[in-house]
Amino acid sequence: MRTILEVQKQLLPDLMDVMKKRYTILRQIMISDVIGRRTLAHSLDMTERVLRSETDLLKSQGLIEIESMGMRISESGEQLLAMLEPMANELFGLSEMEELIEKTYGLQKVIVVPGDSENSEYAKRSLGRAGARALLSVMNDGDVVAVTGGSTTASVAEHLTPSSAMRGVWFVPARGGLGESVEFQANTIASTMAKKLGAEYRLLHVPDLLSNHAYESLVQDSNIQEILGMIRKARIVIHGIGGAMEMAKRRKLAPQTIEEIRDEGAVAESFGYYFNNKGKVVHTMLTLGMRLEDITRTDVVIAIAGGKYKAESIKAVLRFGQEDILVIDEAAATEIVKDL
């Protein structure tokens, strides 16, 4: 059955253009918190005269407030944007990109949120909300959920909303810590998710990168073995995707190792593994946590990433072929479908 939007596109194409324009203005004001008319016109590539006419209308409808410092969205405007969010995918052609990426890479589900999370805090929050919904949609009683670190998965944790407690659910870190900000550590994210949902959690207090001696010592520890056993039984994994060189530098790898990773053609990093553009693992780190064989046995693998410059990395991990659900932003999706 044809949707109302499809009918409107044919019968009232001008109305659709107006709707998209006003939605975009509202969304940009919300993203910016407070913004002046000249700055907003420049960011939207719109003349100030046309923008003034639109913002005057939005103000008369009570959707924005105009102050001496600039314009800000009102509570009614926020509510309207939230109501329109499910329609936005079809309105901006995101649904078509979702279907194309699903078919190309054999995924169960692709979710594309509007905007560019690299440049917009609002788009980043939208990515986190979508990731939270995707995770909740596949969780069952008794699940073990493994989580990687990073700002994107931290945003998912932030947007999980307390619901009826699921029985016997555990959250665990998929790997050790990078030694970065505590809030982006896998341990912190796993505990935050568990607390939000009334679940249990276990922590893995080891660094992500280990020497041979440290690895051999830690892997014999009975407490470490116990938590590793739980991690490797995870039914769901939710993880971010990073650029290979960016992640190598964040891990403070030796310059020689970074050169080797570059020479091997690595373009993406996930789970502590480095992938080339064909989805083949070209470099493996000595670390405790989930292994490739554990990931291939996992029932549901959810990847979440955003930004135009993550597109190559996302494609590499998708070609690895273990993803089930992909949550990305419009900027990344647009780059991915260019080659399709």
Side-chain angles (χ1 to χ4, degrees), residues 54-192:
E54 294 294 339
T55 53
D56 285 348
L57 183 141
L58 294 175
K59 181 177 183 294
S60 71
Q61 296 296 315
L63 300 174
I64 63 171
E65 298 165 356
I66 300 179
E67 307 166 350
S68 58
M69 296 290 291
M71 297 172 286
R72 70 167 69 244
I73 196 161
S74 67
E75 187 177 336
S76 296
E78 285 194 35
Q79 291 172 356
L80 181 63
L81 276 181
M83 288 171 58
L84 285 173
E85 193 172 320
M87 295 173 55
N89 279 19
E90 195 168 342
L91 193 64
F92 289 91
L94 305 188
S95 298
E96 294 173 14
M97 289 197 287
E98 289 173 345
E99 290 176 15
L100 184 55
I101 296 169
E102 276 176 21
K103 290 177 182 176
T104 302
Y105 293 100
L107 300 166
Q108 291 178 14
K109 189 171 183 62
V110 174
I111 301 163
V112 178
V113 302
D116 182 350
S117 59
E118 282 184 351
N119 300 311
S120 160
E121 192 57 37
Y122 177 72
K124 192 163 190 175
R125 291 197 299 268
S126 296
L127 201 60
R129 280 197 301 270
R133 286 196 296 266
L135 176 59
L136 289 171
S137 72
V138 295
M139 283 177 59
N140 297 318
D141 289 348
D143 276 344
V144 176
V145 182
V147 187
T148 67
S151 60
T152 311
T153 46
S155 181
V156 174
E158 181 186 341
H159 288 94
L160 283 174
T161 53
S163 58
S164 55
M166 294 181 186
R167 292 176 297 178
V169 172
W170 287 81
F171 283 86
V172 293
R175 310 191 73 82
L178 270 181
E180 296 183 310
S181 303
V182 174
E183 62 268 29
F184 297 151
Q185 297 278 355
N187 276 336
T188 304
I189 296 167
S191 64
T192 301

Side-chain angles (χ1 to χ4, degrees), residues 184-228:
F184 297 151
Q185 297 278 355
N187 276 336
T188 304
I189 296 167
S191 64
T192 301
M193 288 182 169
K195 290 170 184 175
K196 285 282 189 82
L197 299 179
E200 303 289 338
Y201 63 92
R202 293 292 303 274
L203 304 179
L204 181 63
H205 294 295
V206 297
D208 194 32
L209 182 60
L210 298 169
S211 66
N212 286 320
H213 177 73
Y215 179 87
E216 292 300 331
S217 175
L218 286 167
V219 80
Q220 301 300 324
D221 184 275
S222 59
N223 291 324
I224 297 292
Q225 286 181 346
E226 184 186 352
I227 181 64
L228 287 179

